[in-house]
Amino acid sequence: AGLLKPAHAKPLIDVIRSVCDLPIHFHTHNTSSAQLATLHAMADAGCDVVDGCFAAWADGTSQPSLNAFIATMEGKPRDTLMDYKELELLDQYWAFVRDMYSIFESGMKAMTARVFDHQIPGGQYSNMYAQCRALGDAENWDSVLKMYRDVNDWCGDVVKVTPSSKSVGDIALFLLKQGITKEDFTDMKKMQALNWPQSAIELARGEMGFPHRGFPVEMQDAILKGQLKPLEGRPGDTLAPEDFAQIKKEMEEEFKRQPTDYDMNAFLMYPAVFRGYIKHIDKAGPLTTHLPSPAFFYGLDVGEKIEFEIPGASVAEAEANFDESAASSTVSLELARVGPLEHDDMRSVEWKMNGTSYVVKMKDTPTGKKKYDGPMADPSNKTHVSSSLPGVVANIAVKEGQSVKKDDVLFLVVAMKMEVIVRASADCTVAEICVEKEKEVVDGALLAKIKFA
């Protein structure tokens, strides 16, 4: 978050040096705009390594400028003896790369000392702003910052680093969507009635570790509801070893392909993200990852031509027998023509691949025309099960006609990596399931109808 102020540097270095002679490495983000001064203070105090960032990517929620640090250290006792001007050519390159990836930036226009109040880490600040916009709450960003601060205090002022910081952010966004205020934190009945995000449950159970003074009892009781017990000891002590042979077998069955070691590592660490990746590959084809980044992100203009390498002698061969180790060949691809919008929002698109023309039909629904086409829940009807946030129905855990108990899992809805488990509000029977798996839903969408026992 960049919370260390210049005056903190010497006392911190002194106390570390009193018990340790290992090199000290300092990393920070510059959300407050004050961290260049802190880098100087750390260097003056005897810190061995400080992190900076090429100027083209620096500041904001990133690190302080490496260029500026080197330039302003000139003439000081610990001068880096580097010439900041020699970084400029590299900086020009990174400026081009940043422009290419600009669509992923948070939209933060200026740095702010308010970070000392809400304590949101730099990387999460960017991610949460995008998450907030995806949930339709961009206009309530000020409320998000306040709620993050209040949730952080309610959780015991935890050390906020991935993944604990994400959990605090998930809780803040979730509570705002539910209309919860800081004053409701002491209303145990109201707090226990919520279907908490999975990351909140993992945090409260101690699956990410415990603060040195433990979590506040009120926070754990509200989230765990007396039904789940906190872990005892370090999470790693009770974590079962992975059976890599079994994982590989399960991945082969689920994804219908031979997983590489990279695939297995990605799946074990980020299963939902990996499933999303495979879903995209299945839709767009395995060669989508071979496209140049600008073409992948932005598409082509009419008349624009690109060239790229593929593993195989032809596109058809590479698609059919995808093998990264195959001899590569060069493909030329040009967007020749885009036809007018036709019936049912279809367009004819002409491509030229290695000089040969191909015409395909593509759906191109105008942005303003896209509306949710599913049923909405009636908030006054207790037999309606609704989604508490916009997202994707990642899992349907029940079938029509199935009897379930109170708090049994019905659905899993995922939005911007936030997972919310929808549970049964009472003993009941699932009368009708109103959505399909992978369906995009809106806040208040009807997921199912139930009959009370």
Side-chain angles (χ1 to χ4, degrees):
L3 304 182
L4 196 76
K5 298 176 180 177
H8 297 153
K10 190 175 187 309
L12 177 63
I13 294 296
D14 286 348
V15 74
I16 294 175
R17 280 282 178 250
S18 70
V19 294
C20 175
D21 62 358
L22 294 174
I24 300 172
H25 186 154
F26 178 63
H27 178 88
T28 187
H29 288 242
N30 203 27
T31 310
S32 70
S33 81
Q35 293 305 288
L36 181 60
T38 302
L39 292 193
H40 272 268
M42 291 295 283
D44 294 343
C47 185
D48 297 285
V49 182
V50 297
D51 282 350
C53 183
F54 276 107
W57 290 86
D59 299 326
T61 55
S62 184
Q63 292 79 41
S65 168
L66 178 66
N67 307 52
F69 176 72
I70 291 172
T72 53
M73 283 293 289
E74 286 183 356
K76 298 187 69 173
R78 302 193 72 194
D79 188 333
T80 65
L81 303 180
M82 296 172 66
D83 184 351
Y84 72 92
K85 294 187 292 296
E86 292 185 359
L87 301 180
E88 293 305 308
L89 284 177
L90 285 169
D91 205 48
Q92 290 174 27
Y93 166 76
W94 288 117
F96 166 77
V97 173
R98 179 172 182 172
D99 186 59
M100 185 168 62
Y101 283 82
S102 61
I103 53 173
F104 300 106
E105 297 204 23
S106 66
M108 181 181 180
K109 296 295 192 297
M111 294 175 279
T112 171
R114 191 174 177 183
V115 68
F116 293 117
D117 177 50
H118 55 65
Q119 300 186 12
I120 301 175
Q124 189 196 12
Y125 191 103
S126 304
N127 292 338
M128 197 162 72
Y129 187 72
Q131 193 177 23
C132 186
R133 284 184 297 178
L135 294 174
D137 274 342
E139 70 277 8
N140 295 323
W141 183 239
D142 182 69
S143 299
V144 172
L145 298 181
K146 291 176 181 176
M147 181 59 83
Y148 189 102
R149 174 199 63 202
D150 296 337
V151 167
N152 176 52
D153 291 340
W154 183 64
C155 291
D157 192 16
V158 297
V159 174
K160 288 169 290 299
V161 66
T162 306
S164 61
S165 56
K166 179 184 179 299
S167 295
V168 175
D170 285 353
I171 294 171
L173 291 173
F174 173 75
L175 293 181
L176 282 173
K177 291 295 292 184
Q178 307 308 307
I180 299 295
T181 66
K182 180 183 178 181
E183 289 67 35
D184 294 323
F185 288 5
T186 55
D187 186 338
M188 190 58 65
K189 184 177 180 180
K190 192 171 188 177
M191 297 295 277
Q192 288 187 337
L194 299 171
N195 282 322
W196 291 93
Q198 188 62 26
S199 60
I201 296 171
E202 292 168 356
L203 178 69
R205 287 198 70 223
E207 293 182 28
M208 304 170 195
F210 290 93
H212 66 286
R213 291 195 179 101
F215 288 111
V217 174
E218 296 80 7
M219 170 263 201
Q220 287 187 302
D221 288 347
I223 297 176
L224 301 181
K225 307 177 183 182
Q227 299 170 356
L228 293 172
K229 299 297 182 183
L231 295 179
E232 295 183 3
R234 290 183 65 254
D237 292 340
T238 54
L239 190 65
E242 288 289 358
D243 185 339
F244 288 99
Q246 181 62 28
I247 291 293
K248 186 174 184 179
K249 180 181 177 182
E250 292 173 358
M251 289 181 69
E252 289 173 350
E253 293 173 355
E254 179 175 353
F255 303 120
K256 305 297 187 293
R257 67 193 71 203
Q258 187 77 14
T260 66
D261 288 344
Y262 288 113
D263 291 338
M264 291 178 63
N265 280 314
F267 179 70
L268 285 168
M269 291 185 285
Y270 306 105
V273 175
F274 185 81
R275 286 190 173 98
Y277 166 73
I278 293 297
K279 181 182 176 182
H280 177 77
I281 293 297
D282 287 342
K283 178 182 178 181
L287 300 184
T288 185
T289 58
H290 289 257
L291 288 170
S293 294
F296 181 86
F297 294 147
Y298 305 106
L300 302 183
D301 294 325
V302 174
E304 184 178 357
K305 181 186 292 186
I306 59 173
E307 290 187 347
F308 56 99
E309 299 290 316
I310 61 169
S314 67
V315 170
E317 178 185 313
E319 287 270 359
N321 308 303
F322 187 71
D323 179 6
E324 288 283 11
S325 65
S328 64
S329 61
T330 301
V331 172
S332 169
L333 183 66
E334 178 185 352
L335 177 58
R337 183 179 65 86
V338 175
L341 198 62
E342 303 170 5
H343 181 64
D344 290 335
D345 301 327
M346 300 298 290
R347 289 186 191 273
S348 294
V349 182
E350 181 183 355
W351 301 89
K352 289 185 177 179
M353 184 178 297
N354 292 336
T356 303
S357 291
Y358 300 87
V359 177
V360 296
K361 292 280 189 178
M362 301 181 69
K363 196 169 187 65
D364 185 19
T365 304
T367 303
K369 191 176 177 180
K370 295 178 181 178
K371 294 182 179 179
Y372 182 64
D373 57 0
M376 297 296 292
D378 179 357
S380 63
N381 191 336
K382 300 298 184 184
T383 66
H384 282 194
V385 179
S386 66
S387 176
S388 60
L389 78 170
V392 175
V393 179
N395 187 41
I396 300 175
V398 290
K399 298 179 180 179
E400 291 183 355
Q402 181 176 336
S403 297
V404 295
K405 298 292 186 182
K406 184 179 184 296
D407 291 322
D408 279 355
V409 175
L410 304 180
F411 300 91
L412 175 65
V413 179
V414 179
M416 290 294 291
K417 301 182 183 178
M418 184 196 306
E419 297 183 352
V420 174
I421 295 176
V422 180
R423 300 178 183 274
S425 58
D427 293 355
C428 60
T429 300
V430 180
E432 180 183 354
I433 294 176
C434 304
V435 291
E436 298 177 349
K437 187 178 178 181
E438 304 298 339
K439 171 75 173 177
E440 287 192 20
V441 295
V442 297
D443 187 4
L446 180 63
L447 302 178
K449 296 178 182 179
I450 58 175
K451 290 181 181 179
F452 293 110

